Amino acid sequence: MVTAPAASGSAISLRKVEETAPALVGLYKSAAVSLTKNGLSGERAAVYLVLDHSGSMREYYKDGSVQALADRVLGLSAHLDDDGVVPVVLFSTDIDAESDISLAGHHGRIDAIVAGLGHMGRTSYHVAMDAVIDHYLDSGSTAPALVVFQTDGGPVSKPAAERYLCKAAELPLFWQFIGFGDPDSRQFDFLRALDELAVPAKRRVDNAGFFHAGEDPRQVEDAVLYDRLVGEFPRWLSRARELGIVT
């Protein structure tokens, strides 16, 4: 739980990470460098992880790419949020699971979540976005939130995804989309367009970013991944504060 919108230092200390999740110490340190570089050292924010569980994602779950992303997001979250827990939404045609990952129990956590799930359907961004919005509102938090939204393709309903992004622009939520798969695929044209959606004609603030992690996301260096995860967040945070969206 985020206790304050800003403070000095990291939300969770290096010593605590060493004690509870020693395998993530390297990620924690790498995340610290990117946060400092991007002027985010000492900031506080809730962190969410949204994972595509559609049929085309099967191999990314099997080869550990999704677990690797979850671990990296945890390493980042430890600097921004003091409870060591990241809410996770898995989606396909509908919401397949709402759970969490934590520093204390991160190893194999993604496999444990998906083990009991059934059919991997299509790719409905908007149902996942709706779930995140509901979770944030139900939490009662007023702190900013960074939503890491992973997918390997475009949505089944582009109008619905755009509508939810514009709706969320009035909330302290920033959506960082990350693509897995062929960088040249036309599947990602929509996310590139969403990243450039008009301000203020469509939304009051630019509340989304997109980058592609390639066909083997595990090969993206930690420093590069973290720079991309937080690269657009500071500009949104500054503008959202100016507009009173973040207080």
Side-chain angles (χ1 to χ4, degrees), residues 106-124:
H106 71 95
H107 183 71
R109 178 61 179 151
I110 296 301
D111 283 344
I113 294 172
V114 302
L117 303 183
H119 177 67
M120 299 173 78
R122 302 178 69 193
T123 315
S124 299

Side-chain angles (χ1 to χ4, degrees), residues 58-143:
R58 192 177 308 276
E59 290 304 313
Y60 288 114
Y61 282 91
K62 287 177 64 176
D63 70 11
S65 295
V66 179
Q67 180 66 59
L69 176 63
D71 287 345
R72 287 160 145 181
V73 170
L74 269 174
L76 174 65
S77 175
H79 293 281
L80 299 171
D81 195 350
D82 58 11
D83 68 357
V85 177
V86 173
V88 180
V89 174
L90 280 79
F91 76 99
S92 56
T93 306
D94 207 333
I95 298 300
D96 293 345
E98 291 186 72
S99 190
D100 58 61
I101 54 174
S102 68
L103 290 173
H106 71 95
H107 183 71
R109 178 61 179 151
I110 296 301
D111 283 344
I113 294 172
V114 302
L117 303 183
H119 177 67
M120 299 173 78
R122 302 178 69 193
T123 315
S124 299
Y125 288 10
H126 65 283
V127 298
M129 298 172 83
D130 189 43
V132 170
I133 292 169
D134 282 350
H135 186 286
Y136 180 83
L137 294 175
D138 290 346
S139 76
S141 175
T142 58

